[in-house]
Amino acid sequence: MRRTCLISLLFIGQFIAPSLGAQDTAMHTATTSPEIPVPANVNTTSWMKDSAAKLQHELTGKYGEGQMPRLTRGLRQVEEFWRPEDGGAGEFEDFVRTNFAGDQATLDTMFNRFERLLEQLDGHMHEISREFRQQMDLDLGPVLPFDEVFGGYDPSAHVLDDFFRNKLAFTILLNFPLTTLDERLKDGPAWSRRQWAEVRLAQRFSKRLPAEVSLAIAQAEAESGQYIAEYNIWMYHLLDAQGQRLFPPNMRLLSHWNLRDEIKSEYADARNGLAKQRMIQLVLERIVTQTIPQAVINNPGVDWNPYSNEVKPAAAKDSDAAVPVSGLTNAREPDTRYAMLRKTFVASREADAYSPTEPTLIARRFDEDREIPEARVKAMLEQVVTSPLVAQTAKLIQARLGRPLEPFDIWYNGFRPGSSYSEAQLDGLVEKRYPTAAAYQEDIPNLLARLGFSPERARYLANHIAVDPARGAGHAMAAQMRAEKAHLRTRIDKNGMDYKGFNIAVHEMGHNVEEVFSLNEVDHTLLQGVPNTAFTEALAFVFQGHDLELLGLPAPDARSEAEKTLNDFWGTYEIAGVALLDMAVWHWMYDHPQATAHELNQATVEIAKDIWNRYYAPVFHQKDIVLLAVYSHMISSFLYLPDYPIGHLIAFQIEEQMKKAGAIGPEFERIAKMGRVTPDLWMESATGHPVGAEALLDATGQALAELNAPR
Ligand SMILES: [Zn+2]
């Protein structure tokens, strides 16, 4: 799995998929609807019931009554996925007779062999992908058109289909248990490691999507993604009430990321910053409510006053990309944003009938991907947004800004750790030390020793990590089998590595160390990894937070730490509301499956206002603000947004545990080799507590005390 980490945009990437090449992108509780296709197994049940009863009698006689519960479960699981093209009664009965492991020795052999062979499959598939992406990922000269085709090819795309076709998937379903999240949470703590590995083995085959359903999901994802990727605002063409252009020529900002980040950077402009921030807020609101004129989207050929909503042909030219609009009007964007969101919903819902243990997208997202029940996630997020620490932090921000808060201050970015070194000083230090990727590779044992790993462990880790020169900013790539190394891709310029590159390399090295332990030191490769992306990010941040010490410089002081904590807390407060909105909108869609794009627009706006009025208006003293609904992920990412705030909470829990433990090395190894059990079980073993908001809130309380203390 390739992991790119943007420091400002945490926890992007995908959850570690529990299934082989699963196509299903995302998902909640079943709501009946005329658009849901009939599951394939309905056609086969007429003979299947009789066959199953016959087999149950026959095989219990053969293997003993003790095998009855396993057999009953196995037959039910096979029935759920069997389709007419898999065969008739004769083939079904032969398959079960041949493949039911009726004694422990056969079952053990089957388990061990599948574990070994699936590791080989995953490992080699990944090896092919890594090689095929090499030219695109590494700094190795020009990328030719065919390199991109190699890079986009996924050799494992059809493995799941193949395994159902050759019936290896049915062998698993006949012998190992499918589980619900409820069972994993309730019974999981008492399971042996082998039982956990069996559960993960079966989960790989818990869904069987027909090709047309996978295709519909992929198409909705591509179409909405394309819509988002081309949604630019040309800033030079925004006019204020006096007809003035506040932004420079050629500034093209992608919604929502660039527009939000422009609000952040305008805090530095003492003269015009506030006017620009207010104008961007208005643009964002018009995108959400779809009162934005269609003609101004991605078009430098039109001047637009977002206050009056007037449009006219551009009076000044800054780009050849201008598209002439005949009969120019300010006709609004016709709910396209919500039509795109609705498409992702309609496509996702088609998968519901083929996913018996998680029959909605909401259930698949929370129960399958995150493995934290939605109700608990909601409670944790509400704990953050209703915390009294929000008002205290807001007061500090207000004092620093010297004015009352405005709604766009949810993106306040003034909490910054002070540094006694300039970026240039740090660049000089790093360049000298790491002129090449090989120089960094050679220094890994030394860096790890500084983080508290024993010389033996540091050498062992260094031997399992290969450093390559990256084309982009850098990323970590885990191995999928024990014979392979993890890869650390890092940016090396002509003069060598710069400080930013070093900071990222240390973060990626944290991923690599987690990856090496969680693959090579875990007791079952079926449990390889961590519960989800948030966990590996949290572990990578532990490394990254010590980057100055790795350069032999003093660690950040208490005030710097406090600034960083408040920055994270304010960011979590903001993104928690966005996540609550994403969740509520998906529920609304499942409750109103026939709603039009326009109705979805109105509902989203109402839900956004409601969440704002409950958790933000008390601090910002303005009501009915819709800004929380501007995130592009909401339109094209299938209920992904809750990952961000959950990630922040997990990061604080792990950081606190590392502080308690003192030396990072041994503690990092202990927790990284627990493998992919549920997040709560993992966190209980790591810290003694389930996943929760307390660590973040405690740290925030201390940070406020530190910053409010007289200097
Ligand atoms: Zn990362």
Side-chain angles (χ1 to χ4, degrees), residues 3 5 507-508 511 537 540:
R3 200 164 269 133
C5 312
H507 173 100
E508 306 302 344
H511 282 308
E537 289 302 338

Side-chain angles (χ1 to χ4, degrees), residues 277-397:
Q277 287 170 321
R278 286 174 176 158
M279 189 182 257
I280 296 174
Q281 179 183 325
L282 188 53
V283 170
L284 295 174
E285 289 170 334
R286 289 202 180 278
I287 292 171
V288 170
T289 56
Q290 295 280 276
T291 54
I292 183 171
Q294 173 74 47
V296 308
I297 301 166
N298 206 17
N299 189 1
V302 179
D303 284 344
W304 173 36
N305 173 340
Y307 291 89
S308 66
N309 224 11
E310 256 179 296
V311 294
K312 43 191 182 190
K317 188 180 157 175
D318 65 337
S319 164
D320 292 331
V323 182
V325 185
S326 60
L328 179 61
T329 72
N330 72 348
R332 70 183 193 91
E333 185 182 18
D335 301 315
T336 316
R337 179 177 176 84
Y338 298 95
M340 291 295 162
L341 170 58
R342 207 185 116 65
K343 270 183 198 186
T344 67
F345 163 70
V346 170
S348 303
R349 209 175 38 148
E350 283 188 34
D352 291 356
Y354 302 97
S355 176
T357 42
E358 285 96 16
T360 66
L361 179 115
I362 305 173
R364 292 192 280 281
R365 272 306 195 219
F366 284 96
D367 296 359
E368 185 178 288
D369 298 339
R370 300 188 176 105
E371 295 199 307
I372 309 176
E374 187 191 8
R376 272 203 59 221
V377 170
K378 189 160 181 267
M380 286 189 269
L381 300 186
E382 285 172 352
Q383 197 184 344
V384 172
V385 292
T386 58
S387 163
L389 297 169
V390 169
Q392 295 174 34
T393 309
K395 206 173 130 201
L396 188 58
I397 296 175

Side-chain angles (χ1 to χ4, degrees), residues 3-7 11-12 476 507-508 511 536-537 540-541 544:
R3 200 164 269 133
T4 310
C5 312
L6 299 183
I7 305 311
F11 314 122
I12 49 166
H507 173 100
E508 306 302 344
H511 282 308
T536 185
E537 289 302 338
F541 284 123
Q544 194 176 1

Side-chain angles (χ1 to χ4, degrees), residues 129-142:
S129 296
R130 181 170 51 71
E131 291 290 334
F132 277 20
R133 290 192 58 85
Q134 196 102 302
Q135 192 63 31
M136 293 183 65
D137 283 346
L138 301 189
D139 189 14
L140 298 172

